[in-house]
């Protein structure tokens, strides 16, 4: 439930010192000595590679550039004053156009600099940056570079530390980010090296760092020649307090959680069962040259063997198919409302689960609620695409403030996909762990308990509530549900089968990468029927 994840607390960046797990943080005393432009005796600027033994100043020079008259930010040569007394004004020559591909790489560097070094949200930065690129292929490239870097930022940082005798300073955040983007193009994106190098080097001009083009060229050529140094996936960018929790709570799965969270997830589709059968749609994919795999459950799910642009999916604009992870699709199975039931999706944005429920049952009476009115518009847009807009009641309100939105009529089924740490979807939102703070977890558990207690009043006697999160932390999942059951005498937990993952007695937990799905928790809670009424199921 990434969209429901609260924003990071505070600026979150490495300002003022090292932040645990934040790449790029430096000792300010070292930075003062490591500034790339620091003057050398004799007036030269030089970067020397470490030798194979890692000693600075030995071995082959990676980059060495004598100062040139034109070396200054922006790369433009110094000019005489234009239009001086008694002289006609001289028109400034227009800079030559950038090489194709340079602008997306410069934009990726700026986005990464904001996320890695200034604590900004990747989603927010991309939302601002991508519309500046008219070509969808360039937008896709920016996203690919940013995600590839943020899934393993310490790997790229380690490579630069191994190859450069002095770390880049804090002022060189955009250059460091550009280098990370360059390394990610070579591995794991595997872009053609000649294009990746030329465009990334050219991007230094767009960043006003043309004078450092040689440094970028030399480092990327070394990466092309030698490959990136091997790193231990356990030394991930997850903060130490979070790694400690995972190691304690999932000792047998700790390494797999970190490793699976560092790789790109597969592309999952949900076929609209109201419009087309899964096998029929799979045949349409095959005709379009898109290979897919159909798992046993959920029955509408297809996993593509290779990710493709959404625009190439047959019938996407007409609502035949949506993008949704396998684990998120299982929520509809866990809820399984009766035909024509009155259902509440309490934290509905971005709306995939609401649409899934409607695809299964056209007679469903669905209310989609979200605290964010703007995100609720995204829900509306998805429902319009699928032809469900007139079948859903959309409400913008705090779900826990019942007086603000509830008409007092109980729901047969309630879905609470609760705000959480999003630790199960780090591969999809890799900046989550960069910004997450230890104090966030108690705050989130308080919010989750508040939502559970309030929404329980809206469940009809004999009705069901499904509590779900995209977290893999026990505090937000089984511990949360156990505490709720202890203080709610008319609630009981119902068993879920093995398709929902590891049995936690009061729910089931899927971990990242299992069956190629995200990390997700599910608990199904039944409210006691009125006295004398038969218990369902």
């Amino acid at each position: 439930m990434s969209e429901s994840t609260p924003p990071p607390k505070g600026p979150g960046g490495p300002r003022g010192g090292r932040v645990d797990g934040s790449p790029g943080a430096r000792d300010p005393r070292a930075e003062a000595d490591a500034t790339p432009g620091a003057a050398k005796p004799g007036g030269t600027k030089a970067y020397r590679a470490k030798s194979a033994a890692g000693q600075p100043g030995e071995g082959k020079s990676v980059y060495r550039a004598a100062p040139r008259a034109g070396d200054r930010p922006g790369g433009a040569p110094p000019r005489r004053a234009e239009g001086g007394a008694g002289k006609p004004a001289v028109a400034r020559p227009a800079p030559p156009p950038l090489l194709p591909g340079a602008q997306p790489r410069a934009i990726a560097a700026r986005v990464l600099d904001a996320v890695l070094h200034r604590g900004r949200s990747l989603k927010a930065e991309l939302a601002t940056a991508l519309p500046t690129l008219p070509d969808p292929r360039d937008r896709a490239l920016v996203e690919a570079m940013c995600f590839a870097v943020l899934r393993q930022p310490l790997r790229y940082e380690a490579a630069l530390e191994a190859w450069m005798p002095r770390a880049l300073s804090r002022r060189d955040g955009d250059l460091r980010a550009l280098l990370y983007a360059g390394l990610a193009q070579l591995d794991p994106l595997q872009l053609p090296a000649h294009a990746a190098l030329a465009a990334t080097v050219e991007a230094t001009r767009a960043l006003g760092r043309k004078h450092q083009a040689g440094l970028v060229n030399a480092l990327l050529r070394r990466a092309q020649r030698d490959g990136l140094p091997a790193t231990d996936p356990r030394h991930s960018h997850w903060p130490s307090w979070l790694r400690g929790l995972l190691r304690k709570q999932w000792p047998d799965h700790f390494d797999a959680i970190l490793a699976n969270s560092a790789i790109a997830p597969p592309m999952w589709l949900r076929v609209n069962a109201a419009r087309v059968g899964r096998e029929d749609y799979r045949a349409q994919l095959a005709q379009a040259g898109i290979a897919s795999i159909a798992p046993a459950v959920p029955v509408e799910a297809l996993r593509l063997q290779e990710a493709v642009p959404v625009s190439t999916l047959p019938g996407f604009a007409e609502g035949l198919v949506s993008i949704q992870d396998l684990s998120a699709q299982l929520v509809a199975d866990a809820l399984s409302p009766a035909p024509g039931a009155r259902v509440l999706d309490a934290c509905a944005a971005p709306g995939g689960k609401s649409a899934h429920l409607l695809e299964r049952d056209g007679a469903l009476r669905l209310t989609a609620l979200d605290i964010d009115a703007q995100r609720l518009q995204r829900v509306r847009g998805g429902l319009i695409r699928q032809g469900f807009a007139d079948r859903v009641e959309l409400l913008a309100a705090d779900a826990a403030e019942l007086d603000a939105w509830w008409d007092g009529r109980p729901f047969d089924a309630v879905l609470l996909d609760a705000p959480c740490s999003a630790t199960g979807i780090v591969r999809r939102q890799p900046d989550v762990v960069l910004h997450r703070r230890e104090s966030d977890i108690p705050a989130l558990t308080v919010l989750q308990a508040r939502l559970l207690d309030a929404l329980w009043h809206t469940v009809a006697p004999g009705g069901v509530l499904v509590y779900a999160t995209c977290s893999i932390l026990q505090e937000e999942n089984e511990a949360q549900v156990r505490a709720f059951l202890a203080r709610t005498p008319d609630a009981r937990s119902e068993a879920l089968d093995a398709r929902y993952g590891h049995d936690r007695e009061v729910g089931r937990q899927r971990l990242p990468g299992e069956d190629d799905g995200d990390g997700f928790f599910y608990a199904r809670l039944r409210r006691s029927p009125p006295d004398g009424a038969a218990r369902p199921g």
Side-chain angles (χ1 to χ4, degrees):
M1 235 225 34
S2 57
E3 289 76 9
S4 297
T5 305
K9 306 294 187 294
R15 188 180 306 167
R18 176 174 290 278
V19 174
D20 201 359
S22 297
R26 295 286 186 278
D27 181 343
R29 294 167 300 180
E31 291 168 5
D33 188 45
T35 304
K40 299 289 182 182
T44 62
K45 289 189 297 184
Y47 294 91
R48 287 186 180 275
K50 292 181 180 180
S51 70
Q55 296 303 314
E58 299 177 11
K60 182 179 178 182
S61 173
V62 170
Y63 172 71
R64 184 182 182 87
R68 296 171 297 175
D71 274 352
R72 67 191 186 92
R79 294 177 286 106
R80 295 181 181 276
E82 298 173 356
K87 294 182 180 179
V90 178
R92 181 184 300 177
L98 292 170
L99 288 177
Q103 191 64 23
R105 286 159 174 89
I107 288 177
R110 293 191 183 103
V111 169
L112 288 167
D113 181 30
V115 174
L116 288 169
H117 308 132
R118 285 179 276 132
R120 304 285 178 78
S121 159
L122 174 62
K123 184 180 293 185
E125 291 297 315
L126 288 176
T128 301
L130 294 182
T132 65
L133 291 167
D135 192 326
R137 294 169 298 180
D138 288 340
R139 295 196 291 269
L141 176 60
V142 170
E143 286 189 294
M145 288 187 287
C146 290
F147 278 89
V149 168
L150 293 174
R151 289 189 183 105
Q152 306 184 70
L154 296 191
R155 186 177 183 219
Y156 307 115
E157 182 183 50
L160 296 187
E161 286 184 350
W163 294 341
M164 299 179 69
R166 294 173 181 148
L168 294 169
S169 78
R170 189 174 301 167
R171 291 175 297 175
D172 294 316
D174 57 348
L175 179 66
R176 182 188 299 113
L178 180 65
L179 285 165
Y180 287 3
L183 296 175
Q185 292 170 65
L186 301 174
D187 177 3
L189 295 180
Q190 298 284 305
L191 299 186
H194 64 280
L197 264 66
T200 305
V201 172
E202 176 75 351
T204 58
R205 190 154 63 92
L207 295 177
R209 292 180 173 274
K210 183 181 178 181
H211 58 293
Q212 291 166 308
L215 168 67
V216 174
N217 182 61
L219 289 168
L220 295 187
R221 288 197 179 280
R222 175 160 184 176
Q224 179 191 10
R225 184 184 67 242
D226 299 344
L228 295 182
T231 56
D232 189 332
R234 289 172 296 182
H235 300 160
S236 72
H237 62 301
W238 293 57
S240 59
W241 64 268
L242 196 46
R243 289 202 305 272
L245 278 180
L246 294 182
R247 191 189 298 277
K248 178 181 178 182
Q249 297 180 3
W250 300 101
D252 297 335
H253 304 275
F254 175 71
D255 290 347
I257 289 172
L258 295 188
N260 288 331
S261 297
I263 59 177
M267 187 172 182
W268 282 98
L269 306 182
R270 187 190 74 244
V271 177
N272 184 348
R275 304 279 298 278
V276 62
R278 181 169 71 170
E279 286 307 312
D280 288 343
Y281 187 77
R282 195 178 178 197
Q284 293 184 38
L285 286 176
Q287 288 180 345
I290 302 172
S292 64
I293 296 171
V297 289
V299 295
E300 302 95 345
L302 289 174
R303 180 173 65 81
L304 302 189
Q305 292 192 339
E306 292 186 5
V308 300
V310 171
S311 59
T312 65
L313 294 172
F316 178 82
E318 293 75 30
L320 292 189
V321 69
S322 297
I323 314 297
Q324 190 178 41
D325 184 79
L326 166 81
S327 299
Q329 293 188 44
L330 283 169
V331 172
D333 285 350
L335 191 65
S336 295
R342 178 171 157 80
V343 177
L344 170 67
D345 186 354
C347 297
K353 299 177 185 68
S354 288
H356 194 187
L357 292 168
L358 289 167
E359 291 166 3
R360 288 185 166 188
D361 179 9
L364 216 62
R365 294 166 291 155
L366 182 68
T367 298
L369 177 70
D370 201 273
I371 194 171
D372 190 325
Q374 187 172 0
R375 294 198 309 166
L376 205 60
Q377 291 305 312
R378 186 178 172 190
V379 177
R380 185 188 302 278
L383 294 173
I384 290 174
R385 180 179 66 86
Q386 294 169 286
F388 297 140
D390 59 347
R391 292 172 47 193
V392 183
E393 181 185 22
L394 295 173
L395 296 175
D398 181 344
E401 296 292 336
L402 299 187
D403 292 342
W405 63 271
W406 189 38
D407 61 7
R409 293 184 297 156
F411 294 94
D412 304 306
V414 173
L415 169 59
L416 173 54
D417 190 0
C420 68
S421 63
T423 42
I425 57 169
V426 172
R427 58 184 188 165
R428 296 189 186 279
Q429 295 190 28
D431 61 324
V432 163
V433 287
L434 288 174
H435 307 319
R436 189 63 68 203
R437 299 292 179 265
E438 191 168 7
S439 58
D440 293 347
I441 306 305
L444 284 166
T445 58
V446 169
L447 173 61
Q448 293 152 3
R450 175 172 170 263
L451 289 167
L452 263 173
D453 289 342
L455 291 171
W456 190 248
H457 294 291
T458 71
V459 180
V464 67
L465 183 149
V466 165
Y467 174 80
T469 75
C470 56
S471 166
I472 54 175
L473 300 181
Q474 295 175 8
E475 293 87 338
E476 302 180 89
N477 297 335
E478 61 258 40
Q480 182 69 264
V481 175
R482 283 196 181 93
F484 172 76
L485 292 171
R487 64 177 180 268
T488 312
D490 63 343
R492 63 184 175 86
S493 174
E494 292 190 336
L496 293 169
D497 60 44
R499 90 186 87 162
Y500 300 97
H502 303 267
D503 186 7
R504 311 305 291 174
E505 295 184 357
V506 290
R508 291 265 184 174
Q509 178 76 61
R510 295 179 66 89
L511 297 174
E514 293 181 338
D515 297 326
D516 286 331
D518 288 340
F520 230 90
F521 176 80
Y522 318 81
R524 182 179 169 88
L525 306 170
R526 177 76 66 180
R527 186 170 187 181
S528 298
D531 290 343
R535 287 183 178 276

